[in-house]
Amino acid sequence: MNSANYLYLSAMLFTIGAVGVVIRRNAIVVFMCIELMLNAANLAFVTFARINGTLDGQVIAFFTMVVAACEVVVGLAIIVTIFRSRRSTSVDDASLLKR
Amino acid sequence: MIRLSLEIGQTQKPEAILFYILAPLSVLASLGMLVVRKAVHAALLLAWVMITLAIFYIALDAAFLGIVQIVVYTGAVMMLFLFILMLVGVDAPDSLTENIKGHRVVAIAAALGFGGLLISLIGRATLNHVSVGLAMANEPGNVQGLASLIFTQYVFPFEVVSALLITAALGAMVLAHSQKSAGARLSQRALSSARFRGDSLANAAGLPSSGVFARHNAVDVPALLPDGTPAKNSISGVLSARGDIQDPTQYALGSLPKVDDEGGDK
C-alpha cells in the first residue's frame, strides 16, 4: 500500500467535513464538522512526516491539536451564550443583521 | 525485505490490511455525520472517526500523537461537546427545511468538485515519491524526538500556543459567565406578596403535593382533585416536559367500598 492512501483519506474526510459545515444547521454539529476538517489536516501532516522522514509534521499536528482545543472551548462558550439569549442552536436563527 | 518495501514508498502488509478495514469505516462514519438527525449521534460518529485516526497515527509511527488524539479529542473535546449538548438540550430539533433554495445540491456539487480536485492533485503530486520512513527520526524514541524538536526549534510557537490556551480559557470563562444569576432572584417579600396579592388565593397555602392519597405517592403521579381530574400543578414542570407522568386515574378509587362494621348489627 502506498503512503499516499492516507492523503486520499485525509482529502475525503476534509471534504466531508466541509460539506457538513455548509449543510448542517445545528451549530454544535457544524462545530463537530470543523473538528473533522482539522483532524483530516492532522492526518495529512502526520503522513507527510513519515514520507519525508522528519518529525516536523508531527510537531505541527501537535500544535494543531492545541489550537483546535482552544477553538472548541471558545466556540462552545459562544454557542452557550447564543443559546441563552435566543433559546436555539440553529445557525439560521442567528440572523438579526438580515432584518 | 521490509527495508526494501519501505524504500519504494510501500507500507507493510498488516498496515495495509488495517488501513483497508478502518478507512472505509471512518469515511462511512463521517458521512453519517451529514445525515443523522440528532446531534448526539453525530458526536458518537465523530468520536469513532477520531479513534480510527488515532489508530492511523500509531500505524504511522506517531505513537505520542495517537495517544494524545485519544486523550484530548475523544476524551476532552468530545466530552465537552456532549456536555454542551446536555446543557442546551439533547432533543433540540434540527430542522431539515432549506432556507436557501437548492443550497444543499450546490454544496454537494461543490464538494464533489473540490474533493476531486484535491484527490487528483495528490495523485499527481506524489507519483513516484519515495517514502523515507521515520525509523531514523524515531531512533531515540518518538516522544524524545518530538520533545527535542518542540523545545529547541519550535520553542517560540510552543510559547505562543500556551498563551493562546490561557487566553481561550479566560475567554470561555468570560463568555459563559451570566450576569443574570447575580441579582435577579426574587426576595422573600416579593414572593410572599405575589402569592397573597395575586389573581387567586388557590395556591396561597402552597402547591398541592403529588401522589394519590394512600394509594401512590411517587412524584410522577399527579394528585387527584375532588372531582377526579388530575391536578397539573402538583408535579414538577420538568417531568411534564419530558412526558414522564403516570396516569393517576389507575390509582383512583372508583367507588368507596362498603365499610363492613364488624361486630355491628346487620
Side-chain angles (χ1 to χ4, degrees), chain A residues 77-78 81 84, chain B residues 167-179:
Chain A
I78 291 173
T81 313
R84 206 182 275 149
Chain B
T167 317
L170 276 177
M173 280 164 64
V174 169
L175 280 173
H177 179 76
S178 91
Q179 273 92 17

Side-chain angles (χ1 to χ4, degrees), chain A residues 1 6 24-25 39 56, chain B residues 11 15 33 36 69 97 154:
Chain A
M1 186 189 79
Y6 287 108
R24 291 305 297 252
R25 332 297 280 280
N39 270 280
D56 296 66
Chain B
T11 53
E15 192 186 334
M33 281 178 67
V36 292
Q69 169 88 4
T97 51
Y154 291 97

